[in-house]
Amino acid sequence: MIDYSDMIQPDQGQDARAIHLVDKKSYDGWLKERSARERAHLAAVGFKPDAFVHAILPGDDPERWGVVTTVADVENLSAWCLAKLGQILPEGRYRVEGRQPGKALFGWMSAQYRFDAYRKKVETKGARVLLTSDVGAIAPMVAEARATALVRDLVNTPAADMGPASIEKAAERIAKAHGGKLSVTKGEALEQGYPMIHAVGRAAAKHHAPRLIEIVWGKEDHPRVALVGKGISFDSGGLDIKPSAGMRLMKKDMGGAAHVLALAELVMAAGLPVRLHCLVAAAENAISADAFRPGDVLKSRLGLTVEIGNTDAEGRLVLGDALARAGEDKPELILDFATLTGAARVALGPDLPALFANDDSLADDLLKGGSEREDPLWRMPLWDGYADLLETDIADIGNAGSSAFAGTITAALFLKRFIPDNTAWAHFDTFAWRPAAKPGRPKGGAALGLRAAWAMLQARYDRRSQRSPAGEAS
């Protein structure tokens, strides 16, 4: 297990290698101040102030070398501007010359993530430690790095080892660590109380039986916040089976659950003054003689009947029951995360979660949080004009739109039917995966929208804090 607290340490003047930051505007002036030896070295290696380019600067002895790297703007450091260095430099201590790392602390830690649980040969490279004088920024940044790593670990784990029972164990660990109360509904109680979750998961093997996992934490008189996650541990598509190419990544279909568990841990660890209700609808959408069928009509916890148009549109079914349960406690805010639609990826690609909200102020706060944390979101229209696409001849609503168009919108409209009136709600249709690596963002499981949501929750509820995680005035 990576200890992110080892990667950021207070700057107390200890020995450390220098990291010099330049951009295209400042490079020439910086270069004039360097020694003749360093200028000759940079000329010899052909250093140019291009994005993410770096070079080693020779020191007076072999161990006294430093680094120069190019960033977009030395006066406005991004979360990712030091990520490449955090990944490739040798272990040891480093200090940014002339300024605080700020937001770049997060990318420095994120770049050192690795998932090697299934490798015989494990990387033994030690931590690359970045020093900062802004001591107050360390703990919040470490917490966000740990939360991001938790999402990655849960999503990266193969479905055979991350079924509903394993998701429950992850929730149990979080609840115990922070004094939360864990409850799990499964078996006959699930079938009676949460019929759509049960129907989606009933075809799975017994050791992957479906369940609703709940964590309750916080004082009862604090504002109530519900976090709801889609926990489909593997999605075959059901009887409307996916092609093999579409099934390859379906271990990540519990990415929504991973996000809400990580977000719940951030809330609890920070002591945010809310009454938290975290719900994970965990099931495997498998195929057997007992699988639910196209054309079946399911009764939901809310009482709405749902005609199944496609068994591969199962995520909205399990979320419907979980959202109905969340609404019963009358929260003032509901957030749900789900790897819900391919249509969202067609519209926005893998890096940009689709955001739906029934409240403009909530949407604005989430978009602001995404901008502050460099965890971007894109708001999509929750347009009721497409609601008729979910109409069906024999039930209250269909689970699949009657048209190939507007798939991500109709999915959000389906979820909206399970949200109580006058309750602020936002839905994140996230990919939870990076198909290609970027500095600080490895290929594989990804936390997309997590830090944006956390920034919003902090801004709304943490009145004690006057600092952002980068140590800047908020």
Side-chain angles (χ1 to χ4, degrees):
M1 185 74 176
I2 298 172
D3 189 348
Y4 289 95
S5 61
D6 288 343
M7 297 177 187
I8 306 295
Q9 295 180 5
D11 192 344
Q12 299 173 333
Q14 59 268 57
D15 285 341
R17 296 186 175 101
I19 298 176
H20 300 268
L21 303 182
V22 297
D23 54 26
K24 290 187 176 181
K25 293 184 296 183
S26 66
Y27 178 64
D28 289 342
W30 174 85
L31 187 63
K32 290 178 182 178
E33 301 297 321
R34 310 316 302 166
S35 68
R37 181 185 182 188
E38 289 174 327
R39 291 197 299 269
H41 173 76
L42 293 171
V45 299
F47 181 83
K48 301 292 183 183
D50 297 323
F52 295 116
V53 173
H54 76 282
I56 300 299
L57 296 172
D60 295 332
D61 63 64
E63 292 300 318
R64 303 295 294 179
W65 52 269
V67 186
V68 58
T69 190
T70 303
V71 298
D73 183 356
V74 295
E75 301 299 333
N76 185 24
L77 301 185
S78 75
W80 311 112
C81 64
L82 297 181
K84 186 175 181 181
L85 294 184
Q87 181 177 340
I88 66 175
L89 287 176
E91 62 182 274
R93 286 194 297 265
Y94 297 88
R95 175 186 292 112
V96 176
E97 287 295 301
R99 65 191 70 250
Q100 295 303 315
K103 294 179 180 179
L105 291 170
F106 178 80
W108 179 271
M109 290 184 285
S110 179
Q112 297 184 54
Y113 171 84
R114 58 184 181 270
F115 184 72
D116 50 24
Y118 294 88
R119 293 185 179 275
K120 183 177 180 180
K121 185 177 181 181
V122 177
E123 181 183 351
T124 57
K125 187 176 181 180
R128 281 73 76 198
V129 179
L130 191 60
L131 303 180
T132 178
S133 298
D134 189 0
V135 177
I138 296 176
M141 281 290 191
V142 168
E144 291 189 19
R146 286 174 174 160
T148 298
L150 175 60
V151 175
R152 290 172 175 173
D153 283 348
L154 293 173
V155 173
N156 283 331
T157 301
D161 297 329
M162 191 49 66
S166 295
I167 297 173
E168 178 187 332
K169 286 182 179 178
E172 182 180 23
R173 194 262 321 157
I174 292 168
K176 284 185 176 180
H178 303 286
K181 180 181 178 182
L182 178 77
S183 61
V184 180
T185 306
K186 52 188 175 181
E188 184 177 350
L190 186 77
E191 183 176 4
Q192 296 300 316
Y194 304 91
M196 293 199 296
I197 299 175
H198 175 266
V200 169
R202 73 191 187 200
K206 288 184 178 180
H207 64 286
H208 287 323
R211 63 205 68 200
L212 179 71
I213 304 161
E214 299 177 78
I215 300 173
V216 175
W217 173 90
K219 296 181 179 179
E220 291 191 11
D221 59 347
H222 281 164
R224 293 179 178 268
V225 174
L227 307 177
V228 181
K230 172 188 171 184
I232 300 297
S233 60
F234 188 80
D235 184 14
S236 69
L239 292 177
D240 288 312
I241 191 169
K242 293 179 183 287
S244 58
M247 214 184 295
R248 175 64 179 86
L249 285 182
M250 284 302 99
K251 69 176 184 178
K252 76 171 187 64
D253 215 20
M254 42 65 67
H259 278 74
V260 299
L261 289 174
L263 186 55
E265 186 159 35
L266 281 169
V267 168
M268 290 186 279
L272 208 65
V274 299
R275 176 67 168 176
L276 177 68
H277 188 189
C278 178
L279 306 96
V280 171
E284 179 181 352
N285 189 19
I287 300 171
S288 78
D290 197 28
F292 74 119
R293 311 163 189 83
D296 283 355
V297 175
L298 305 180
K299 186 175 181 179
S300 70
R301 180 177 179 84
L302 194 63
L304 289 173
T305 56
V306 180
E307 183 180 12
I308 304 305
N310 190 319
T311 62
D312 196 22
E314 85 299 329
R316 65 200 70 182
L317 300 175
V318 302
L319 282 174
D321 273 354
L323 288 168
R325 171 66 188 94
E328 291 167 6
D329 288 346
K330 297 180 172 54
E332 69 175 42
L333 174 64
I334 299 175
L335 304 181
D336 82 72
F337 283 80
T339 52
L340 204 61
T341 66
R345 309 287 72 79
V346 172
L348 300 177
D351 294 351
L352 197 57
L355 171 67
F356 293 86
N358 65 358
D359 181 277
D360 289 341
S361 176
L362 173 59
D364 290 344
D365 288 349
L366 286 165
L367 293 171
K368 181 181 178 182
S371 178
E372 290 175 352
R373 294 299 207 276
E374 298 181 49
D375 185 21
L377 308 168
W378 194 270
R379 190 180 185 186
M380 299 286 276
L382 195 63
W383 194 53
D384 287 328
Y386 288 145
D388 60 344
L389 297 178
L390 293 170
E391 291 180 357
T392 171
D393 293 335
I394 65 171
D396 295 321
I397 192 172
N399 81 319
S402 59
S403 167
F405 298 120
T408 190
I409 297 175
T410 55
L413 289 172
F414 181 94
L415 299 181
K416 183 184 177 185
R417 294 288 297 271
F418 296 87
I419 302 299
D421 293 337
N422 303 316
T423 300
W425 162 67
H427 161 57
F428 297 73
D429 192 336
T430 185
F431 194 41
W433 190 265
R434 289 196 181 276
K438 296 180 180 180
R441 291 150 287 182
K443 180 180 178 180
L448 300 169
L450 170 70
R451 298 174 70 225
W454 175 228
M456 181 277 295
L457 290 173
Q458 286 181 300
R460 285 199 166 199
Y461 297 109
D462 193 355
R463 306 306 180 191
R464 301 163 302 174
S465 175
Q466 298 299 316
R467 299 175 64 82
S468 76
E472 300 159 352
S474 59

